[in-house]
Amino acid sequence: MASALLDLARELAATTYAAYLPMAGRRALGISMAVDTPCAFTIPSELDLDDLRLPTVRSFHGGDLVAVSAAEMRKLTRRVPAHFLHSPFPTAVASVALVAGGRTFGCLSVRWSRTKAPDEPVVPEELQYLRRTAEELAGDLLALAESGLPMEAPPIPLFIPPAPAQSPSTEAAPLPGRRGGGLTGTTFLYQLKRLSTQLAAAVHVKDVLTAAQDQIMAPFGAGALMLCRVEDERLRVVGASGFAREEVGRVDGLPLSRSTPETDAVTLVEARLIQPGDPPAHAGSPRPAPDPGAHSRVYMPLIANGRAIGCSILEFPAQWRRFPADEDIALAALMLGQIGQALERIRAHELEHALARTMQQSLLPPSLPLTAEAVVTSRYLPATAGAAVGGDWYDIVPLPEGGIGLAIGDVEGHSVEAAGVMGHLRSAVLAYASEGHEPATVLERIDGLLRVLGVSRYATCCCLWLDPVTGVAKIATAGHPPPLISPALGRITAPDVPVGPPLGLGNGHHHEQREIVLTSGSIIALFTDGLLETRDLGLEAALARLADRLAGGNRENMDMLADGLISDRQGHKTLDDDLALLLMRYDGVQPGEQQDVARLFIQRYDLRAVASTRHYVREVLERWGSEALLDDLQLMLSEVVTNALIHAQSDVDIRMRRHADGVRVEVQDSSPQPPIPTVILANDAMNAEAESGRGLLIVDALATAWGSSPAGRGKTTWIEMTLPQSRTLMT
């Protein structure tokens, strides 16, 4: 077989030479031996015997020679984009069956590059020589088969070196930055290994772009690189390096229905090389200028999962004057295939992650209540080690006769099933609490419900019911840490509450509850174990550290206090577990000391309500005797409410609270995207995000303090203003 292949390599001016034999235990032909030409790595490793579109398969079944032109192979590649990785340039194929003694042993397959003449047929004399060689080889294989040698493709094919003088493509000019006139096996493996290693660690699109810059753009001597992905039948630029902003903008959003070099690379599944002076192939295509400073470009599809998922553009400097060798194109195609696979993997991970997070957010409470007796805030951080949704949850439940119910829990594991159990728990707590049941009874009923539902996962839960008039809090917990209580004066404590077993274990346990009396100014913290760094500190030390942070936090601003409690966990690159935190400050209801509260609700898209908001603010501030804040607060609130109506596209809930030295305003919407002040730049004219951020510069300049905090599924943008006389005293 080696002798036959080397004879073909000496006599035929082809690109690759290979012999195929049937694969053991599979209905496929596998490569058995090939001549180690520069493009040998592009030879398909196996061919499905049921795919009659392939010339080698047709030859095997027909027992004869099958020759296919480069144009026909291009049509096949358009139908089966995965073939582009084996034939990135126009390639003619001829295959002949190895038949002797009534048996078909396999096929010889030869490929010719037709980069410059795609329609050029294979010379008849070459086909005749291929047929004669196959007949001689088949006779030899028959003798070997009759002696008992199995005629099967080996697990790893043998690549035999060609005669040095006959090595194809040795005269092709190398790409800038490449040494030598062609690829060697070591060069190919080295480049592919470096790229594979870098892509294996890629978790974001920017990591893939960096890998492409390091391992494709630089080694091939390109001056610019652009990666595009197909989304909604349009090309979207996912990363670019070296291209002008205008050129990126021209490509981004190109519809696939429009024929350009970029879109043709995807729809036609072909590589295209355009050099200075070449006429544009289509209307609207960039015309490479003939001047010495012009650039050359290579457009290639990105193949992943057997389809074209986008395209890449490589731009080369002016001195690049010749097409690259076939082996360079083939290697670039194979490496860009790795890039395409990485982009698809990251996209799939992002979609799964987004779906999981959307599901998790939908199970959180839509908003947090505003009462005169208590201030509540919450935080939720999803685990980043994996895309599966977790089972941490919290809720604030309105109780009969004006009570406030706080509940928090954690479901075992991270999966869609865990999220489903979490949904059951939250709904059950809301239903049983609304019926007026005590916390312990609620837990017992939920335990029974989970048994009836046949839930296989256990869950923990802690419930705290507060009577805001008396300050009496009733607490029960099932496998969950009790809350931490921080009184206005005194030492932080954890209530002495018996911790019952987790829910869903099926033991029908009777849960106990305890009563405590909260004093005005007390802060209650309910949390899941994701907040505790038990792995590093241990449970007791982690709880002590949390208590210290709670004691030393900002008691007046609950949002700042919550941010401080999660700051360590938020700074971690990866979180192994979800984190949920629910904070409440009980301000009490004492005659003559109740803080004033005002609330205004605006429906989505009702931009006319911005004017009525200004009138409402005037009425409230005049009633509170805080007219000194009117002008600034009207201006800031108009900006924040307008941003919420336009960019969050949700209902807006405005809440105002009077303090002794000023006013706090909260604007709640359903978008989790935090508001970010944006400096005005000349090239930001069409940037909607920048436009929304400019109004926040006004808020940043006028507010005493402001920020944004998660609020259930959305966020709360809060503004604090201090009265002028209070500012003087503070100074």
Side-chain angles (χ1 to χ4, degrees), residues 2 108 153 261 325 372 388 449 454 465 490 509 536-537 542 565-566 649 665 697:
L108 286 180
L449 175 65
W465 287 186
H509 182 79
D536 298 330
L537 303 175
L565 294 179
I566 69 168
Q649 298 181 354
V665 181
L697 292 173

Side-chain angles (χ1 to χ4, degrees), residues 223-548:
L225 168 71
M226 192 184 305
L227 300 176
C228 306
R229 189 166 56 197
V230 176
E231 295 180 9
D232 298 326
E233 295 301 308
R234 289 179 178 269
L235 285 180
R236 293 298 178 187
V237 178
V238 297
S241 174
F243 279 103
R245 183 189 296 263
E246 294 75 19
E247 183 63 8
V248 174
R250 181 191 69 81
V251 176
D252 190 44
L254 277 176
L256 292 183
S257 58
R258 179 181 172 188
S259 185
T260 68
E262 298 86 1
T263 58
D264 285 353
V266 180
T267 58
L268 302 181
V269 196
E270 64 182 20
R272 175 163 297 172
L273 296 84
I274 297 180
Q275 298 200 96
D278 290 348
H282 308 279
S285 300
R287 178 186 295 273
D291 62 89
H295 299 284
S296 302
R297 288 185 181 178
V298 177
Y299 302 85
M300 300 184 77
L302 294 176
I303 307 297
N305 302 325
R307 60 190 180 89
I309 58 106
C311 75
S312 65
I313 308 169
L314 286 168
E315 185 174 88
F316 294 89
Q319 64 268 25
W320 194 67
R321 279 291 178 265
R322 295 188 58 188
F323 286 161
D326 290 340
E327 60 266 26
D328 289 305
I329 296 177
L331 177 58
L334 193 59
M335 297 177 79
L336 287 169
Q338 297 279 330
I339 295 291
Q341 290 285 2
L343 288 176
E344 280 295 272
R345 171 176 56 82
I346 290 173
R347 177 174 173 77
H349 181 271
E350 289 174 346
L351 290 175
E352 182 183 1
H353 197 77
L355 177 63
R357 296 306 164 229
T358 300
M359 185 176 183
Q360 174 75 64
Q361 288 293 329
S362 69
L363 293 171
L364 294 176
S367 62
L368 302 179
L370 175 69
T371 66
E373 303 85 9
V375 179
V376 184
T377 191
S378 64
R379 295 293 184 271
Y380 171 78
L381 291 179
T384 56
V389 65
D392 289 27
W393 64 279
Y394 63 86
D395 206 353
I396 302 174
V397 183
L399 301 177
E401 300 180 0
I404 303 172
L406 305 181
I408 196 164
D410 187 3
V411 180
E412 172 198 8
H414 290 75
S415 65
V416 175
E417 183 185 359
V421 176
M422 178 181 68
H424 287 313
L425 282 176
R426 181 168 173 251
S427 298
V429 168
L430 178 61
Y432 294 139
S434 299
E435 291 178 353
H437 296 293
E438 298 288 316
T441 305
V442 169
L443 294 179
E444 291 168 5
R445 289 180 173 242
I446 292 176
D447 190 38
L449 175 65
L450 294 182
R451 290 200 306 273
V452 172
L453 293 174
V455 173
S456 60
R457 295 174 180 270
Y458 68 84
T460 67
C461 184
C462 179
C463 296
L464 183 150
W465 287 186
L466 172 65
D467 181 348
V469 176
T470 62
V472 173
K474 301 175 181 179
I475 308 170
T477 179
H480 204 90
L484 291 179
I485 310 294
S486 174
L489 298 173
R491 182 173 174 271
I492 292 182
T493 60
D496 183 18
V497 181
V499 179
L503 307 173
L505 296 182
N507 54 9
H509 182 79
H510 173 70
H511 290 272
E512 299 182 42
Q513 68 184 40
R514 292 288 186 270
E515 286 189 5
I516 62 172
V517 178
L518 300 178
T519 57
S520 180
S522 295
I523 294 177
I524 302 97
L526 290 87
F527 50 89
T528 58
D529 55 7
L531 182 62
L532 303 175
E533 299 187 56
T534 55
R535 179 175 298 181
D536 298 330
L537 303 175
L539 179 59
E540 294 299 327
L543 283 171
R545 182 174 183 179
L546 178 61
D548 290 341

Side-chain angles (χ1 to χ4, degrees), residues 431-725:
Y432 294 139
S434 299
E435 291 178 353
H437 296 293
E438 298 288 316
T441 305
V442 169
L443 294 179
E444 291 168 5
R445 289 180 173 242
I446 292 176
D447 190 38
L449 175 65
L450 294 182
R451 290 200 306 273
V452 172
L453 293 174
V455 173
S456 60
R457 295 174 180 270
Y458 68 84
T460 67
C461 184
C462 179
C463 296
L464 183 150
W465 287 186
L466 172 65
D467 181 348
V469 176
T470 62
V472 173
K474 301 175 181 179
I475 308 170
T477 179
H480 204 90
L484 291 179
I485 310 294
S486 174
L489 298 173
R491 182 173 174 271
I492 292 182
T493 60
D496 183 18
V497 181
V499 179
L503 307 173
L505 296 182
N507 54 9
H509 182 79
H510 173 70
H511 290 272
E512 299 182 42
Q513 68 184 40
R514 292 288 186 270
E515 286 189 5
I516 62 172
V517 178
L518 300 178
T519 57
S520 180
S522 295
I523 294 177
I524 302 97
L526 290 87
F527 50 89
T528 58
D529 55 7
L531 182 62
L532 303 175
E533 299 187 56
T534 55
R535 179 175 298 181
D536 298 330
L537 303 175
L539 179 59
E540 294 299 327
L543 283 171
R545 182 174 183 179
L546 178 61
D548 290 341
R549 291 186 169 228
L550 183 62
N554 187 337
R555 305 179 67 88
E556 297 300 320
N557 191 317
M558 295 293 286
D559 288 305
M560 290 184 178
L561 176 59
D563 290 337
L565 294 179
I566 69 168
S567 59
D568 279 357
R569 308 299 288 160
Q570 203 167 23
H572 288 195
K573 291 184 178 180
T574 59
L575 286 177
D576 296 328
D577 197 5
D578 300 327
L579 177 160
L581 171 67
L582 191 56
L583 283 180
M584 180 181 72
R585 186 183 69 224
Y586 171 63
D587 290 334
V589 182
Q590 299 180 17
E593 296 184 6
Q594 180 177 345
Q595 295 176 325
D596 288 339
V597 176
R599 182 178 182 181
L600 176 65
F601 182 81
I602 300 175
Q603 292 185 336
R604 67 177 62 193
Y605 306 126
D606 187 7
L607 291 175
R608 291 177 299 179
V610 176
S612 61
T613 300
R614 291 193 288 267
H615 294 305
Y616 180 78
V617 170
R618 176 184 294 276
E619 294 175 2
V620 172
L621 293 184
E622 287 178 350
R623 186 170 72 245
W624 289 349
S626 304
E627 297 92 331
L629 304 177
L630 179 61
D631 292 340
D632 289 349
L633 201 52
Q634 279 183 327
L635 179 58
M636 289 186 289
L637 198 55
S638 296
E639 294 292 342
V640 175
V641 171
T642 301
N643 280 346
L645 289 171
I646 294 178
H647 301 289
Q649 298 181 354
S650 73
D651 296 335
V652 178
D653 194 353
I654 303 171
R655 306 158 180 209
M656 301 177 64
R657 180 185 293 270
R658 182 176 65 170
H659 293 279
D661 59 350
V663 173
R664 177 185 172 92
V665 181
E666 298 176 353
V667 179
Q668 190 174 103
D669 60 59
S670 62
S671 170
Q673 188 67 30
I676 302 174
T678 304
V679 179
I680 300 175
L681 299 175
N683 56 6
D684 276 344
M686 302 303 292
N687 187 332
E689 186 174 310
E691 183 180 343
S692 68
R694 292 168 190 165
L696 295 172
L697 292 173
I698 298 174
V699 178
D700 195 49
L702 298 179
T704 304
W706 79 283
S708 176
S709 306
R713 301 173 195 165
K715 68 173 181 297
T716 296
T717 302
W718 53 269
I719 300 170
E720 291 191 349
M721 293 291 290
T722 304
L723 290 167
Q725 60 268 29

Side-chain angles (χ1 to χ4, degrees), residues 38-198:
C39 287
F41 64 86
T42 66
I43 299 174
S45 59
E46 64 179 78
L47 304 172
D48 185 353
L49 276 175
D50 294 322
D51 191 350
L52 295 178
R53 296 171 298 184
L54 305 176
T56 304
V57 173
R58 296 208 304 270
S59 172
F60 181 83
H61 286 298
D64 202 355
L65 185 144
V66 175
V68 177
S69 68
E72 290 178 90
M73 290 301 296
R74 296 307 302 148
K75 293 179 182 178
L76 174 61
T77 301
R78 290 170 192 171
R79 295 197 300 270
V80 188
H83 286 302
F84 177 81
L85 300 177
H86 307 297
S87 300
F89 45 82
T91 305
V93 178
S95 295
V96 61
L98 299 170
V99 181
R103 296 178 59 180
T104 302
F105 296 102
C107 291
L108 286 180
S109 181
V110 180
R111 300 190 298 171
W112 289 264
S113 169
R114 292 291 188 258
T115 302
K116 298 182 180 179
D119 297 326
E120 180 184 347
V122 180
V123 178
E125 290 78 11
E126 292 186 306
L127 294 179
Q128 292 173 6
Y129 190 84
L130 175 60
R131 187 190 296 273
R132 289 197 304 270
T133 303
E135 290 173 353
E136 295 175 3
L137 176 59
D140 295 336
L141 294 180
L142 176 61
L144 292 172
E146 290 177 343
S147 68
L149 188 70
M151 293 290 107
E152 296 176 346
I156 301 177
L158 177 65
F159 288 87
I160 54 176
Q166 298 297 324
S167 179
S169 302
T170 54
E171 296 181 359
L175 289 172
R178 301 286 295 278
R179 297 180 179 180
L183 287 173
T184 65
T186 302
T187 303
F188 163 68
L189 290 175
Y190 175 76
Q191 289 190 245
L192 194 60
K193 174 181 177 295
R194 290 186 64 186
L195 178 65
S196 300
T197 300
Q198 200 162 343

